[in-house]
Structure formats: C-alpha cells, structure tokens
Amino acid sequence: MIKLEQLLNSLQTYTITAIIDTALCIGAGGSSGSLADKPIVRNAEGNLLIPTSQLKGRLRHECEKIARGLNWDICHSPNPQTMCPQRAGLDSNFDREEYQISKDDKNYHCLICQIFGNPVLPSRIIFDDLICEEEAENLPEIIRPGVTINRRRRTAEESKVYFLETSPANIKLRFKGNIYVSNSPFNNPDYIGALVLAGLRHINALGGSKSAGLGWLNWELPALSIEQAAWNFLAKGVGNNEKD
C-alpha cells in the first residue's frame, strides 16, 4: 500500500520564480474565448501560467548541453529508441559505474536520464506549473498582429495575417512554482542540484517568438548549498570519455 505521508517525506521541495522581463507568449492552440489565433495558456482560474511540460523539456535540453560539455556520454532524447537503455545507433561509452543505478539493474542510464527519466526509469524531478502571481482580472488581453514570412522569397505571404495573445509587456510579472526532487538512493545524488541550477540559469527565454523579443526572463532560485563533492563528480566526465 502506498502511503501519502511516506511519499511526501521522500521529496525535497524547492520554490522557483520566473520574472518576465518583456512579454510572454505561450500559446494554447485551439483555445476559445479570445480573438487571437493563438491565445495565451491559462489555468482553470484564468491565471497565466508556464506549463510544466515546456519548462521540464527546456531544462532537460540545457542540462544535456552542460553534461555533454563536460564530456559525459548522454543519450539522445526525446526519441525513445535513442534514449537509455536502448540507445539505438549510439556507440559511446555508457557502461560506466556512474551510469548503473543499482547492482540489481543491469541497465545503464546516463546522468540526464537518472534525473529526468526515460521509457523504463521514472523521473526523479517533478515540476509544478509556474503560475502568475498577479490576479487574472488585473491583466488585460493584449493582442499582437503578425504575418507569415516566405523564407524562400523573404517576403510576407499574402492573406497570412495572424494574431497572438501575450501578457502585458515590461511589468515584471512573476510566475512561481515548486520543483520536487526524489530522495531515491541513486549514485551521488548531490550532482542533481548543481546540474539543475546551472540548467535553469541557461534558460533566458521561454515561449514563442523569442527572436522577436518575447518571453525573456530572469530567475529567483533557492539558495542551495552545493557541496564541492557534487562539482568534483561532474568534473569526472572531463577527459574520461573513452571506452573501458
């Protein structure tokens, strides 16, 4: 029997806040109730939000880049066939002690899969949606026009005007939510905090039309005390990229 109090006690909770510097455009395709072709996504109470799926996917991508930069062998997400433990077509060295999560499990899982999961391994990190702290009635509907560009001719397409809904610009909207980290006894879990914090600091924008200046942000992150052992563990990937 699963006991809720045991599950909650096995999680560490950290609060993060995204502060939007410009205007945010995270659309909800197919939504109704707006004149925009791409309305901004909201929760049931009408509050603006940054969906869990977008934040986690972007964070995984940034953590993969950091780990590869440190010469750790990382599988290729999001295709299940090229992710751990299958890793179809990948011939890097994944048979490392750091990639084995237990003596009973004969599979090897890269550092990123140990954090974010894969088809056979549950994620050790769970996200809330980031909810805007400002009340919905205080935020007017902002509609921005746009036009489809023909990339070959480098001209605007005829009859291709569209409308985006965004949050109000330049008012420092705050989106707050929690990250929950499992205390499962994997190899050296201390590196998780170091890698996730570094990945979050690499995320400078979210949502659509980032090249047009939308969605740029900065973070308020928990003041975690990262032990030197975590950095030493991550540094082991450098220069240790050859097969045994």
Side-chain angles (χ1 to χ4, degrees), residues 47-244:
N47 301 109
L48 303 182
L49 63 86
I50 298 174
T52 295
S53 56
Q54 178 158 147
L55 176 60
K56 185 176 181 181
R58 179 66 185 279
L59 179 58
R60 177 170 186 146
H61 177 68
E62 296 299 331
C63 289
E64 286 176 352
K65 292 196 299 185
I66 295 170
R68 288 195 180 100
L70 293 171
N71 280 340
W72 289 94
D73 292 306
I74 303 299
C75 67
H76 291 177
S77 62
N79 185 346
Q81 293 182 343
T82 56
M83 294 176 66
C84 299
Q86 187 171 352
R87 297 187 298 272
L90 303 183
D91 57 359
S92 300
N93 178 25
F94 288 89
D95 296 341
R96 299 180 55 168
E97 179 183 358
E98 297 90 350
Y99 288 0
Q100 191 170 18
I101 62 175
S102 72
K103 299 300 182 182
D104 297 328
D105 189 346
K106 302 303 181 182
N107 294 316
Y108 291 84
H109 306 271
C110 69
L111 297 187
I112 302 303
C113 283
Q114 290 186 39
I115 299 175
F116 294 94
N118 59 38
V120 301
L121 189 69
S123 174
R124 291 194 60 193
I125 188 167
I126 303 170
F127 291 83
D128 284 340
D129 291 330
L130 301 186
I131 307 297
C132 181
E133 296 181 322
E134 185 65 42
E135 294 295 334
E137 56 267 21
N138 296 333
L139 299 177
E141 184 181 43
I142 306 297
I143 305 295
R144 291 194 178 201
V147 64
T148 302
I149 301 297
N150 186 304
R151 302 300 177 185
R152 181 176 59 85
R153 293 186 293 147
R154 299 181 181 180
T155 59
E157 294 277 16
E158 294 185 5
S159 304
K160 293 292 184 177
V161 175
Y162 59 86
F163 296 93
L164 301 175
E165 182 185 8
T166 73
S167 67
N170 305 320
I171 61 172
K172 299 291 184 180
L173 289 179
R174 299 168 61 88
F175 290 72
K176 180 180 289 188
N178 291 329
I179 297 178
Y180 307 93
V181 181
S182 169
N183 292 324
S184 300
F186 288 8
N187 285 318
N188 201 336
D190 293 338
Y191 79 88
I192 295 178
L195 195 55
V196 168
L197 282 179
L200 283 170
R201 294 188 185 280
H202 275 241
I203 300 176
N204 298 311
L206 288 170
S209 300
K210 293 184 287 293
S211 62
L214 299 183
W216 289 81
L217 54 83
N218 62 84
W219 296 95
E220 284 185 2
L221 301 175
L224 294 182
S225 177
I226 307 296
E227 301 292 337
Q228 184 60 40
W231 303 116
N232 294 341
F233 176 83
L234 290 173
K236 290 171 64 177
V238 178
N240 191 16
N241 200 33
E242 297 181 358
K243 292 186 177 180
D244 296 333

